[in-house]
Amino acid sequence: MAANAGCNRGNSLDNADKHVLEAAIRDLFGKVGKELVVAPIFNCGSRTNIEVAENFLTNYNATILDMAKVTMGNDVLIGPNTMISTLNHPITPKGRHDHLGLAYP
């Protein structure tokens, strides 16, 4: 739930106040380099499992389901409406019933 609260906070901030918005995202991610831009609406799953290096930008409506570590290097630009997911659900009915989801970095 901490991820939801952090995303809601960041998504509700005024985009004109870049310093406050950047501080909210830095609090949400595990590690952040210089030059960070995260456009709203941004959502993530776990909080602090996302690590980005220098010059990171994600455009509008991005989702990173970070049940496992998500690491991005320098100069990463993510387009609008992108989803990155570390979580996979079983394909068998029994596996789904038993909630045997798997997450990989």
Side-chain angles (χ1 to χ4, degrees):
M1 286 302 171
N4 287 341
C7 290
N8 288 339
R9 180 174 174 259
N11 290 328
S12 69
L13 293 170
D14 183 357
N15 285 347
D17 195 344
K18 301 223 183 280
H19 296 294
V20 171
L21 185 59
E22 184 175 328
I25 297 300
R26 285 182 180 278
D27 184 52
L28 194 60
F29 287 10
K31 290 184 182 176
V32 180
K34 296 177 186 173
E35 301 299 321
L36 170 72
V37 176
V38 176
I41 299 290
F42 176 79
N43 291 292
C44 64
S46 285
R47 190 167 183 240
T48 70
N49 275 339
I50 302 169
E51 297 182 357
V52 299
E54 310 296 312
N55 303 316
F56 176 81
L57 178 142
T58 184
N59 215 316
Y60 296 97
N61 301 316
T63 299
I64 301 176
L65 295 179
D66 59 321
M67 300 318 190
K69 184 80 65 189
V70 176
T71 306
M72 297 184 219
N74 292 332
D75 305 315
V76 171
L77 306 173
I78 296 175
N81 300 311
T82 297
M83 176 182 278
I84 297 171
S85 180
T86 63
L87 184 63
N88 194 11
H89 297 284
I91 57 173
T92 65
K94 179 172 177 11
R96 287 192 304 273
H97 180 268
D98 293 340
H99 304 286
L100 299 176
L102 304 170
Y104 298 101

